[in-house]
Amino acid sequence: MTNMSENEVGYMIHINRDLCTSCGLCEAFCPVNVFEMNDGPQAVRPEDCWGCETCAGQCPVHAIRIEASSAAKAAFADREKAAPLDPEIKVRYKEWSRVLRDVLGLRWHPVAISLVKAGAPLPDVPIPEERLRFCQSLMAARRGRSLMMPANRHACPDGTSILGLTPMPEKLASGELYILFHKLDSVEAAKRMVHERPCLEPRTVDATVVAPLSEAACEAEVVAIVAQPEQIMWLSMATSYYTGHRHDFHASGYNAQCVETTLLPMTTGEINISFGCYGCRASSDVGDDCMMMGIPVELMPQVIKGLEELGKKAIPQSRDKIYLPPF
């Protein structure tokens, strides 16, 4: 079965009837109620499929395969285009990226994150052919890709609603899906987790934009770093180099990239760390030894200046283990 309408990505839902045991997990776990059980699972609303592959991931006999078909008419084809990024800002971003990579020894690019507000002009950034999760796009950007994703290119209903592109599906708002995943003990606990996280108003954002900081095509709102804990430690110290301020980080293991790396820094004006979450670690290539930090772009000059100072002595001495007795 296929979903395909103007400005949307189409998906074919393949169910191998020889393997299917009619366990009903696909119906239970689908966040947007694509399936109904009727002499076995039927994709009765294929046009609602997000391509998140939760059904395929939960199927105990691997009887479900989701296949993306070619995209229809390009999203925002007639939308006003934004002016190119100011050359001075581009130079600044390149220098920030250089310092971050050189001083910390980052393996991957720092990532510029922006949200295109509803009705705002669009930056000149490619739109992918099929849906991706926001965390997947961020991981792609750290490896050099630039991506703009309207709602119909987002594969995670949870992150998409958190970031203000769509309303939140009822299964997520009620906490039901978190119980099915055995992520929390009770519906009450799930509801509390949902209530305590920030969430933008639905339809206030038209697209997310991620790009390597050194190649950003529009002004960043948050700079995301994917790195090892030791490197995140130095970033934390760089932020407080001139103030001595201790940070109050908010991390939970839920909604890592959308909430902890992006929305919290954006809405609080403070840096925040994330250990990752079930979704981002299950669906992206982020290493088990990595964590994340989101830095509001307003704090970047302070971070870069502090990091350069730490890089003169503190970082190399620490990495040289100068206090370790010789053996």
Side-chain angles (χ1 to χ4, degrees):
M1 295 186 180
T2 307
N3 93 11
M4 195 68 160
S5 59
E6 187 177 62
N7 290 338
E8 291 191 2
V9 175
Y11 288 93
M12 298 186 71
I13 303 172
H14 303 279
I15 302 175
N16 187 328
R17 301 295 174 183
D18 293 332
L19 295 176
C20 179
T21 63
S22 298
C23 67
L25 290 179
C26 54
E27 179 188 30
F29 276 93
C30 178
V32 289
N33 299 312
V34 166
F35 299 94
E36 286 184 7
M37 297 302 292
N38 182 16
D39 293 327
Q42 305 291 332
V44 296
R45 284 173 287 275
E47 68 279 359
D48 291 339
C49 178
W50 281 73
C52 67
E53 299 191 348
T54 302
C55 56
Q58 293 299 316
C59 180
V61 294
H62 308 293
I64 300 175
R65 180 168 60 88
I66 307 297
E67 179 185 358
S69 58
S70 59
K73 175 183 171 183
F76 301 148
D78 301 321
R79 184 75 165 264
E80 178 187 358
K81 302 301 181 183
L85 185 62
D86 186 299
E88 290 188 7
I89 296 177
K90 294 192 73 163
V91 170
R92 187 184 312 147
Y93 286 179
K94 286 180 181 292
E95 177 61 11
W96 289 351
S97 182
R98 183 197 67 77
V99 171
L100 287 165
R101 299 196 75 176
D102 288 354
V103 176
L104 291 174
L106 292 180
R107 180 176 180 179
W108 300 287
H109 293 278
V111 177
I113 301 176
S114 308
L115 302 184
V116 179
K117 305 304 185 289
L122 299 178
D124 183 19
V125 178
I127 296 175
E129 285 295 313
E130 60 185 78
R131 291 186 192 257
L132 296 169
R133 295 169 183 264
F134 179 67
C135 54
Q136 290 173 327
S137 72
L138 195 151
M139 296 304 153
R142 91 191 203 276
R143 298 198 307 271
R145 290 190 66 187
S146 297
L147 296 168
M148 176 167 62
M149 301 199 311
N152 63 11
R153 296 304 193 270
H154 276 262
C156 175
D158 209 355
T160 313
S161 56
I162 286 168
L163 292 172
L165 286 90
T166 63
M168 186 172 294
E170 178 56 31
K171 276 188 180 179
L172 292 167
S174 68
E176 174 187 347
L177 209 54
Y178 294 99
I179 304 305
L180 288 171
F181 275 114
H182 297 283
K183 292 182 183 179
L184 289 158
D185 177 64
S186 64
V187 170
E188 289 73 25
K191 286 181 177 179
R192 178 175 181 177
M193 186 276 294
V194 171
H195 175 73
E196 287 185 356
R197 71 190 183 193
C199 187
L200 297 179
E201 287 294 321
R203 310 296 186 190
T204 58
V205 170
D206 279 346
T208 59
V209 179
V210 294
L213 181 62
S214 59
E215 300 173 20
C218 59
E219 289 197 44
E221 295 177 80
V222 170
V223 174
I225 311 290
V226 181
Q228 295 175 335
E230 186 258 7
Q231 295 165 320
I232 297 295
M233 177 196 78
W234 290 117
L235 282 172
S236 176
M237 292 176 64
T239 309
S240 57
Y241 182 81
Y242 294 100
T243 66
H245 173 63
R246 286 182 175 270
H247 302 289
D248 296 316
F249 294 131
H250 295 269
S252 66
Y254 302 98
N255 312 119
Q257 308 305 344
C258 47
V259 170
E260 295 173 353
T261 306
T262 301
L263 199 52
L264 278 170
M266 193 177 292
T267 56
T268 66
E270 302 289 342
I271 65 171
N272 197 56
I273 62 169
S274 176
F275 304 114
C277 66
Y278 172 93
C280 97
R281 291 197 177 275
S283 63
S284 79
D285 67 342
V286 63
D288 294 343
D289 60 343
C290 289
M291 58 186 299
M292 306 88 189
M293 176 178 281
I295 307 171
V297 74
E298 295 82 5
L299 293 183
M300 281 300 296
Q302 174 184 340
V303 171
I304 294 299
K305 192 175 178 181
L307 190 61
E308 288 179 313
E309 291 300 319
L310 290 168
K312 294 175 181 178
K313 186 174 182 179
I315 294 176
Q317 283 194 340
S318 175
R319 289 176 174 176
D320 285 344
K321 309 295 183 183
I322 62 168
Y323 300 124
L324 184 67
F327 293 101

